Amino acid sequence: MGLGEETGEPGLTTMYVGLISDTHGVFDEEFRKFFAPVDVIWHAGDWGHGLEFSREISSFKPTVGVYGNCDGQDIRSEYPLYQFFEEEGMSILITHIGGTPGHYYPDARRLIESFRPQVFVCGHSHILKVQWDEHYQMMYINPGAAGYQGWQTVRTALRFKIASGKISAMEVLNEPRGSLGF
């Protein structure tokens, strides 16, 4: 489905989202293939390699992103600390450093309590995790890390569809970290 395409039901559309974080300057062919069918990429921070690199991703697909703790002033001038928006009937909050359900970082908890999103997206940990947060009644999503920097053994990303306030068809890309000799 393309951007704003009808789902078959009158007036309903589906958004196909690619979710990535902690690229640290890496957006290679496996990730391009995985994201080829998506309408938009959400990037949860730690882009790496500055604006030129972030523009490589945003020229590939429309991109919504935030800066991470490793990003310089150039990225911070282009992307905010957090993004809050609505997509196909769901409220989305994205920030880089979030923590995990039951253990949110104080700044992330304040954002969650202020905005009350239906979906909370973060990065930073390099650990892929998708979990329902019963306390805040929201979906917690961390796509893990797409780059080579860090201790993770696999490089990961997600893609999924949003329609009528629901997430569906979530898929994971798992790439071995050792493919470049690390």
Coordinates of all heavy atoms in Angstrom, one line a residue, residues 133-182:
D133 N 2.2 -1.9 27.7 CA 2.4 -1.3 29.0 C 1.0 -1.1 29.6 O 0.2 -0.2 29.2 CB 3.1 0.1 28.9 CG 3.4 0.7 30.2 OD1 2.5 0.5 31.2 OD2 4.4 1.3 30.4
E134 N 0.7 -2.0 30.5 CA -0.6 -2.0 31.2 C -0.9 -0.8 32.0 O -2.0 -0.2 32.0 CB -0.8 -3.3 32.1 CG -2.1 -3.5 32.6 CD -3.2 -3.8 31.6 OE1 -2.8 -4.5 30.6 OE2 -4.3 -3.4 31.7
H135 N 0.1 -0.3 32.7 CA 0.0 0.9 33.5 C -0.4 2.1 32.7 O -1.3 2.8 33.1 CB 1.3 1.2 34.3 CG 1.2 2.4 35.1 ND1 0.6 2.4 36.3 CD2 1.7 3.6 35.0 CE1 0.6 3.6 36.9 NE2 1.3 4.4 36.0
Y136 N 0.3 2.4 31.6 CA -0.1 3.5 30.8 C -1.0 3.2 29.6 O -1.3 4.1 28.8 CB 1.2 4.2 30.3 CG 2.0 4.9 31.3 CD1 3.2 4.4 31.8 CD2 1.5 6.1 31.9 CE1 3.9 5.1 32.8 CE2 2.2 6.8 32.9 CZ 3.4 6.2 33.4 OH 4.1 6.9 34.4
Q137 N -1.4 2.0 29.5 CA -2.3 1.6 28.4 C -1.8 2.0 27.1 O -2.5 2.7 26.3 CB -3.7 2.2 28.7 CG -4.4 1.6 29.9 CD -4.8 0.1 29.7 OE1 -5.6 -0.2 28.8 NE2 -4.1 -0.8 30.5
M138 N -0.6 1.6 26.8 CA 0.0 2.0 25.5 C 1.0 0.9 25.0 O 1.4 0.0 25.8 CB 0.8 3.3 25.6 CG 2.0 3.2 26.5 SD 2.9 4.7 26.6 CE 4.4 4.2 27.6
M139 N 1.3 0.9 23.7 CA 2.2 0.0 23.2 C 3.6 0.6 23.3 O 3.8 1.7 22.9 CB 1.9 -0.3 21.7 CG 2.8 -1.3 21.0 SD 2.8 -3.0 21.8 CE 1.2 -3.5 21.3
Y140 N 4.5 -0.1 23.8 CA 5.9 0.3 23.9 C 6.7 -0.4 22.8 O 6.6 -1.6 22.6 CB 6.5 -0.2 25.3 CG 8.0 0.0 25.4 CD1 8.6 1.1 25.9 CD2 8.8 -1.1 25.0 CE1 10.0 1.2 26.0 CE2 10.2 -1.0 25.1 CZ 10.8 0.2 25.6 OH 12.1 0.3 25.7
I141 N 7.4 0.4 22.0 CA 8.2 -0.2 20.9 C 9.6 0.4 20.9 O 9.8 1.6 20.8 CB 7.5 0.1 19.5 CG1 6.1 -0.4 19.5 CG2 8.4 -0.6 18.4 CD1 5.4 0.0 18.2
N142 N 10.6 -0.5 20.9 CA 12.0 -0.1 20.8 C 12.5 -1.0 19.6 O 12.5 -2.2 19.8 CB 12.8 -0.3 22.0 CG 14.2 0.2 21.9 OD1 14.9 0.1 20.9 ND2 14.8 0.7 23.0
P143 N 12.9 -0.4 18.5 CA 13.4 -1.3 17.4 C 14.8 -1.8 17.5 O 15.2 -2.5 16.6 CB 13.3 -0.3 16.2 CG 13.6 1.0 16.8 CD 13.0 1.0 18.2
G144 N 15.4 -1.6 18.6 CA 16.8 -2.1 18.8 C 17.8 -1.2 18.0 O 17.5 0.0 17.8
A145 N 18.9 -1.7 17.5 CA 19.9 -0.9 16.9 C 20.2 -1.5 15.5 O 20.3 -2.7 15.3 CB 21.2 -1.0 17.7
A146 N 20.2 -0.5 14.5 CA 20.5 -0.9 13.1 C 22.0 -0.8 12.8 O 22.5 -1.4 11.8 CB 19.7 0.0 12.2
G147 N 22.7 -0.1 13.6 CA 24.2 0.1 13.4 C 25.0 -1.0 14.0 O 24.6 -1.9 14.6
Y148 N 26.3 -0.8 13.8 CA 27.3 -1.7 14.4 C 27.8 -1.3 15.7 O 28.4 -2.1 16.4 CB 28.5 -1.9 13.4 CG 28.1 -2.6 12.1 CD1 27.8 -1.9 11.0 CD2 28.1 -4.0 12.1 CE1 27.4 -2.6 9.8 CE2 27.7 -4.7 10.9 CZ 27.4 -3.9 9.8 OH 27.0 -4.6 8.7
Q149 N 27.7 -0.1 16.1 CA 28.2 0.4 17.3 C 27.4 -0.1 18.5 O 26.2 -0.2 18.4 CB 28.2 2.0 17.4 CG 28.8 2.6 18.6 CD 28.8 4.1 18.5 OE1 28.8 4.7 17.4 NE2 28.9 4.7 19.6
G150 N 28.0 -0.6 19.5 CA 27.3 -1.1 20.7 C 27.6 -2.6 20.9 O 28.4 -3.2 20.2
W151 N 27.0 -3.2 21.8 CA 27.2 -4.6 22.2 C 26.3 -5.6 21.7 O 26.4 -6.8 21.9 CB 27.3 -4.7 23.7 CG 26.0 -4.1 24.3 CD1 25.7 -2.9 24.7 CD2 24.8 -4.9 24.6 NE1 24.4 -2.8 25.2 CE2 23.8 -4.0 25.1 CE3 24.4 -6.2 24.4 CZ2 22.5 -4.4 25.4 CZ3 23.1 -6.6 24.7 CH2 22.2 -5.7 25.2
Q152 N 25.2 -5.1 20.9 CA 24.2 -6.1 20.4 C 24.8 -7.1 19.5 O 25.8 -6.8 18.8 CB 23.0 -5.3 19.8 CG 23.4 -4.7 18.4 CD 24.1 -3.3 18.5 OE1 24.4 -2.8 19.6 NE2 24.3 -2.7 17.4
T153 N 24.2 -8.3 19.4 CA 24.7 -9.3 18.6 C 24.0 -9.3 17.2 O 24.5 -9.9 16.3 CB 24.6 -10.7 19.2 OG1 23.3 -10.9 19.5 CG2 25.5 -10.8 20.5
V154 N 22.8 -8.7 17.1 CA 22.1 -8.6 15.9 C 21.7 -7.1 15.7 O 21.6 -6.4 16.6 CB 20.8 -9.5 15.8 CG1 21.2 -11.0 15.8 CG2 19.9 -9.2 17.0
R155 N 21.6 -6.8 14.4 CA 21.1 -5.4 14.0 C 19.6 -5.6 13.6 O 19.3 -6.5 12.9 CB 21.9 -4.9 12.9 CG 23.4 -4.8 13.3 CD 24.3 -4.7 12.1 NE 23.9 -3.7 11.2 CZ 23.7 -3.8 9.9 NH1 24.0 -5.0 9.3 NH2 23.3 -2.9 9.1
T156 N 18.8 -4.7 14.1 CA 17.3 -4.9 14.0 C 16.6 -3.7 13.5 O 17.1 -2.5 13.7 CB 16.7 -5.4 15.3 OG1 17.0 -4.4 16.3 CG2 17.2 -6.8 15.7
A157 N 15.4 -3.9 13.0 CA 14.5 -2.8 12.6 C 13.1 -3.5 12.5 O 13.0 -4.7 12.5 CB 14.9 -2.2 11.2
L158 N 12.1 -2.6 12.5 CA 10.7 -3.1 12.4 C 10.0 -2.4 11.3 O 10.3 -1.3 10.9 CB 10.0 -2.8 13.7 CG 10.5 -3.4 15.0 CD1 9.8 -2.8 16.2 CD2 10.2 -4.9 15.0
R159 N 8.9 -3.1 10.8 CA 8.0 -2.5 9.9 C 6.6 -3.0 10.3 O 6.4 -4.1 10.7 CB 8.3 -2.6 8.5 CG 8.2 -4.0 8.0 CD 8.6 -4.1 6.5 NE 8.5 -5.5 6.1 CZ 9.0 -6.0 4.9 NH1 9.7 -5.2 4.1 NH2 8.8 -7.2 4.6
F160 N 5.6 -2.1 10.2 CA 4.2 -2.5 10.5 C 3.2 -1.5 9.9 O 3.6 -0.5 9.3 CB 4.0 -2.5 12.1 CG 4.5 -1.2 12.7 CD1 3.6 -0.1 12.9 CD2 5.8 -1.1 13.2 CE1 4.1 1.0 13.5 CE2 6.3 0.1 13.8 CZ 5.4 1.1 14.0
K161 N 2.0 -1.9 9.9 CA 0.9 -1.1 9.4 C 0.1 -0.5 10.5 O -0.1 -1.1 11.5 CB 0.1 -1.9 8.4 CG 0.9 -2.4 7.2 CD 0.0 -3.3 6.3 CE 0.9 -3.7 5.1 NZ 0.2 -4.6 4.2
I162 N -0.4 0.7 10.2 CA -1.3 1.4 11.2 C -2.6 1.7 10.3 O -2.5 2.4 9.3 CB -0.8 2.6 11.8 CG1 0.5 2.3 12.6 CG2 -1.8 3.3 12.7 CD1 1.2 3.6 13.2
A163 N -3.7 1.3 10.8 CA -5.0 1.7 10.2 C -6.1 1.6 11.3 O -6.1 0.8 12.2 CB -5.4 0.7 9.1
S164 N -7.0 2.6 11.2 CA -8.1 2.7 12.1 C -7.7 2.5 13.6 O -8.3 1.8 14.4 CB -9.2 1.6 11.8 OG -9.6 1.7 10.5
G165 N -6.6 3.2 14.0 CA -6.1 3.1 15.4 C -5.6 1.8 15.8 O -5.5 1.6 17.0
K166 N -5.1 1.0 14.9 CA -4.6 -0.3 15.3 C -3.3 -0.6 14.5 O -3.2 -0.3 13.3 CB -5.6 -1.5 15.0 CG -6.8 -1.4 15.8 CD -7.7 -2.5 15.6 CE -8.9 -2.3 16.5 NZ -10.0 -3.3 16.3
I167 N -2.3 -1.3 15.2 CA -1.1 -1.7 14.6 C -1.3 -3.2 14.1 O -1.9 -4.0 14.9 CB 0.1 -1.6 15.5 CG1 0.4 -0.2 15.8 CG2 1.3 -2.4 15.0 CD1 1.5 0.0 16.9
S168 N -0.8 -3.5 12.9 CA -0.9 -4.9 12.4 C 0.3 -5.2 11.6 O 1.1 -4.3 11.2 CB -2.2 -5.1 11.6 OG -2.1 -4.3 10.4
A169 N 0.5 -6.5 11.3 CA 1.5 -7.0 10.3 C 2.9 -6.5 10.7 O 3.7 -6.2 9.8 CB 1.1 -6.5 8.9
M170 N 3.2 -6.6 12.0 CA 4.6 -6.2 12.4 C 5.6 -7.3 12.0 O 5.4 -8.5 12.2 CB 4.6 -6.0 13.9 CG 6.0 -5.4 14.4 SD 6.0 -4.9 16.1 CE 5.1 -3.4 16.1
E171 N 6.7 -6.8 11.4 CA 7.8 -7.7 11.0 C 9.1 -7.2 11.5 O 9.3 -6.0 11.7 CB 7.8 -7.8 9.5 CG 6.6 -8.3 8.8 CD 6.7 -8.2 7.3 OE1 6.3 -7.1 6.8 OE2 7.1 -9.2 6.7
V172 N 10.0 -8.1 11.8 CA 11.3 -7.8 12.3 C 12.4 -8.1 11.3 O 12.4 -9.2 10.7 CB 11.6 -8.6 13.6 CG1 13.0 -8.3 14.1 CG2 10.6 -8.3 14.7
L173 N 13.4 -7.2 11.1 CA 14.6 -7.5 10.4 C 15.7 -7.8 11.4 O 15.9 -7.0 12.2 CB 15.0 -6.3 9.5 CG 16.3 -6.5 8.7 CD1 16.2 -7.6 7.7 CD2 16.7 -5.2 8.1
N174 N 16.3 -9.0 11.3 CA 17.4 -9.4 12.1 C 18.6 -9.6 11.2 O 18.6 -10.5 10.4 CB 17.1 -10.7 12.8 CG 16.3 -10.5 14.1 OD1 16.7 -9.7 14.9 ND2 15.3 -11.2 14.2
E175 N 19.6 -8.8 11.4 CA 20.8 -9.0 10.6 C 22.0 -9.2 11.5 O 22.1 -8.5 12.5 CB 21.2 -7.7 9.8 CG 20.3 -7.5 8.5 CD 20.6 -8.6 7.5 OE1 21.8 -8.9 7.2 OE2 19.6 -9.1 7.0
P176 N 22.8 -10.3 11.3 CA 23.9 -10.5 12.2 C 24.8 -9.3 12.2 O 25.1 -8.7 11.2 CB 24.6 -11.7 11.5 CG 23.7 -12.3 10.5 CD 22.7 -11.2 10.1
R177 N 25.3 -9.0 13.4 CA 26.2 -7.9 13.6 C 27.5 -8.2 12.9 O 28.2 -7.3 12.4 CB 26.4 -7.6 15.1 CG 27.3 -6.4 15.3 CD 27.3 -6.0 16.7 NE 28.2 -4.9 16.8 CZ 29.1 -4.8 17.8 NH1 29.2 -5.7 18.7 NH2 29.9 -3.7 17.8
G178 N 27.9 -9.4 12.8 CA 29.2 -9.8 12.3 C 29.4 -9.7 10.8 O 30.5 -10.0 10.4
S179 N 28.4 -9.2 10.1 CA 28.6 -9.2 8.6 C 29.6 -8.3 8.1 O 30.0 -8.4 7.0 CB 27.2 -8.9 8.0 OG 26.7 -7.7 8.4
L180 N 30.2 -7.4 8.9 CA 31.3 -6.5 8.5 C 32.5 -6.9 9.3 O 33.4 -6.1 9.4 CB 31.0 -5.0 8.7 CG 30.1 -4.4 7.7 CD1 29.9 -2.9 7.9 CD2 30.6 -4.6 6.3
G181 N 32.6 -8.1 9.9 CA 33.8 -8.5 10.6 C 33.8 -8.1 12.0 O 34.9 -8.2 12.7
F182 N 32.7 -7.6 12.6 CA 32.8 -7.2 14.0 C 32.5 -8.4 14.9 O 31.8 -9.3 14.6 CB 31.7 -6.1 14.3 CG 32.1 -4.8 13.6 CD1 31.7 -4.5 12.4 CD2 32.8 -3.9 14.4 CE1 32.0 -3.3 11.8 CE2 33.2 -2.7 13.8 CZ 32.7 -2.4 12.5

